[in-house]
Amino acid sequence: MKFDLALYLVTDSTGLEEEDFLSRIEAACRGGITLLQLREKERSGGAYLHLARRVKKISDGYRIPLLIDDRVDIALAVDAAGVHIGQEDLPVAVARKLLGSNKIVGATAKTVEQALAAREQGADYLGVGAIYPTTTKVKTVLTRVETLADIVHEAQLPVTAIGGLNAENCDILAGSGFSGIAVVSAIMKASDPESAARILRNKVRVLLGE
Amino acid sequence: MKFDLALYLVTDSTGLEEEDFLSRIEAACRGGITLLQLREKERSGGAYLHLARRVKKISDGYRIPLLIDDRVDIALAVDAAGVHIGQEDLPVAVARKLLGSNKIVGATAKTVEQALAAREQGADYLGVGAIYPTTTKVKTVLTRVETLADIVHEAQLPVTAIGGLNAENCDILAGSGFSGIAVVSAIMKASDPESAARILRNKVRVLLGE
């Protein structure tokens, strides 16, 4: 399945009312995100599925592919475009086997070794970071942009940069070979998520030389 | 798939070293459990899969069907016999659709309404309880044996009783129409899990009139 990593919104519903959460996602879709990931670490299977169904109705309306974090069963149940696999989630090879070759399987990689392992197991893209400290994952380890560039070079897969990125600090990615940025707070916590998405998208276009 | 609810061990690895956890499960298999459920609410997908693979190696050796709690993707990945679905997990109908008709789908039901809904969605058996207060689920609501008997009568599905049951207190189930008991602590926390399983199995045989 084709996908565009330019501006990848990873969601976080923590502390948000469901309707507010959904309206922020819809605003981000209007603002030009190109890919969407539902990431819910605390929800039970039933509540995760409920939310995935509601989010997919929105993203389908904008033809934006929806990926589900970790839970391949929920991705299958809502016919999502694919899954994103973190280092503590189901292995990439297992997700690929369960989903088949027509779905997107993305993987988190912090090192060239992890990137090559993910590629070997069938990953379609890599999420690399955290580039900057992030409030979403407080204990995360930072990844240098030089490592990101090495991963792009070695793994030969499209790479999205993640971790504390916003319109003011993403210049650091210029020339790294990245294919786009993934954000949580920069859109989900913005006072105007649509405008925040639009500004980020334009910024990434410039950095990518589009 | 055929299964026998007589003595159903639901696992809880909380506070146990992995090797100790696995050796308790193997002891329970030797002692005569007839069905096994891996229930891990706190593990990440990767760690859950890792444990499921190790547990299945053991249960396969004793030809005891292994069910996975909630995570249909992990059940598919290890080719488990099926899943068990709680009220907060993926819906029974979703699990049935993802697993097909040859796998076991069990469901928790505390009322006749829940039992009929689970049956309608394709459940193969019902777990009914908690019959007694339990340390595994501290906030759980109790279900009376009369309700269990009503569920057996109305839903016409095999029913396992769960919740604080042990060899001393399971006489209460006599004549209810139950098909067996499900236990966590009575085996997992026993000083001799094999012997605990054997005693429970014999007790249930007597209660079932076998």
Side-chain angles (χ1 to χ4, degrees):
Chain A
M1 185 181 283
K2 283 185 70 173
F3 58 94
D4 176 358
L5 285 178
L7 182 55
Y8 186 1
L9 175 62
V10 179
T11 66
D12 181 6
S13 71
T14 311
L16 294 176
E17 295 289 328
E18 187 167 311
E19 299 305 324
D20 183 27
F21 174 70
L22 295 172
S23 72
R24 282 166 188 270
I25 288 174
E26 179 143 22
C29 291
R30 284 196 304 272
I33 61 167
T34 56
L35 197 58
L36 177 62
Q37 178 191 142
L38 184 62
R39 178 166 72 186
E40 295 290 327
K41 291 295 189 193
E42 304 303 326
R43 285 185 188 242
S44 67
Y48 202 161
L49 178 71
H50 162 83
L51 201 63
R53 283 177 167 154
R54 294 201 68 188
V55 168
K56 185 153 186 292
K57 264 194 193 167
I58 295 169
S59 56
D60 278 356
Y62 294 86
R63 303 189 179 215
I64 295 166
L66 170 67
L67 307 192
I68 305 291
D69 179 68
D70 183 29
R71 296 268 319 221
V72 174
D73 46 5
I74 290 172
L76 288 168
V78 302
D79 191 27
V83 295
H84 183 86
I85 299 295
Q87 287 292 324
E88 299 197 337
D89 297 337
L90 288 180
V92 169
V94 169
R96 172 60 72 205
K97 191 174 171 202
L98 293 175
L99 288 168
S101 56
N102 290 327
K103 295 289 191 182
I104 302 165
V105 178
T108 299
K110 289 179 174 294
T111 63
V112 170
E113 289 69 26
Q114 289 179 353
L116 293 175
R119 181 201 162 99
E120 181 73 24
Q121 292 183 51
D124 294 308
Y125 75 83
L126 301 170
V128 175
I131 304 300
Y132 292 106
T134 155
T135 53
T136 313
K137 292 190 173 182
V138 288
K139 282 200 235 163
T140 199
V141 174
L142 298 191
T143 298
R144 294 161 62 236
V145 175
E146 290 76 10
T147 303
L148 185 151
D150 288 345
I151 288 172
V152 170
H153 184 258
E154 297 289 332
Q156 294 286 315
L157 281 177
V159 166
T160 176
I162 190 165
L165 291 161
N166 58 47
E168 281 71 50
N169 68 16
C170 62
D171 287 330
I172 194 175
L173 298 165
S176 67
F178 82 121
S179 295
I181 66 170
V183 300
V184 187
S185 306
I187 290 178
M188 292 305 283
K189 293 187 179 165
S191 55
D192 181 346
E194 178 177 345
S195 165
R198 188 164 292 121
I199 290 166
L200 279 165
R201 176 74 185 275
N202 290 336
K203 183 81 190 186
V204 171
R205 275 190 215 280
V206 171
L207 289 175
L208 293 174
E210 288 177 357
Chain B
M1 186 181 285
K2 284 186 69 171
F3 58 95
D4 176 358
L5 285 177
L7 181 55
Y8 187 0
L9 174 62
V10 179
T11 66
D12 181 7
S13 71
T14 310
L16 294 176
E17 294 289 328
E18 188 168 311
E19 298 307 323
D20 183 27
F21 174 70
L22 295 172
S23 72
R24 282 166 187 271
I25 289 174
E26 179 143 21
C29 291
R30 283 194 306 271
I33 61 168
T34 57
L35 196 59
L36 177 61
Q37 176 192 143
L38 184 62
R39 179 165 72 185
E40 295 290 327
K41 291 296 190 192
E42 304 303 326
R43 283 186 190 241
S44 66
Y48 202 160
L49 178 70
H50 163 83
L51 201 63
R53 283 177 168 155
R54 294 203 68 187
V55 168
K56 187 157 186 290
K57 263 193 194 168
I58 296 169
S59 56
D60 278 357
Y62 294 85
R63 301 190 182 215
I64 295 167
L66 170 67
L67 308 191
I68 304 291
D69 179 67
D70 182 31
R71 296 267 322 220
V72 174
D73 45 5
I74 290 171
L76 288 167
V78 302
D79 191 27
V83 295
H84 184 85
I85 299 295
Q87 288 293 323
E88 299 198 336
D89 297 338
L90 287 181
V92 170
V94 168
R96 173 59 72 206
K97 191 174 171 200
L98 293 176
L99 288 169
S101 56
N102 290 328
K103 296 289 189 181
I104 303 165
V105 178
T108 299
K110 289 178 174 296
T111 63
V112 171
E113 289 69 26
Q114 289 179 355
L116 293 175
R119 182 202 161 98
E120 180 73 24
Q121 292 183 52
D124 294 308
Y125 76 83
L126 301 171
V128 175
I131 304 301
Y132 292 106
T134 154
T135 53
T136 313
K137 290 188 172 183
V138 287
K139 283 199 237 162
T140 201
V141 175
L142 298 190
T143 298
R144 294 163 62 235
V145 175
E146 291 76 9
T147 303
L148 185 150
D150 288 345
I151 288 173
V152 171
H153 185 259
E154 297 289 333
Q156 295 286 314
L157 281 176
V159 165
T160 176
I162 190 166
L165 290 162
N166 57 47
E168 281 69 51
N169 67 16
C170 63
D171 287 330
I172 194 175
L173 298 165
S176 66
F178 81 120
S179 295
I181 66 170
V183 299
V184 186
S185 306
I187 290 178
M188 292 305 283
K189 293 187 179 165
S191 56
D192 180 346
E194 178 176 345
S195 165
R198 188 164 291 119
I199 290 166
L200 278 165
R201 177 72 185 277
N202 290 337
K203 184 81 191 184
V204 171
R205 275 190 215 277
V206 171
L207 288 175
L208 293 174
E210 288 176 359

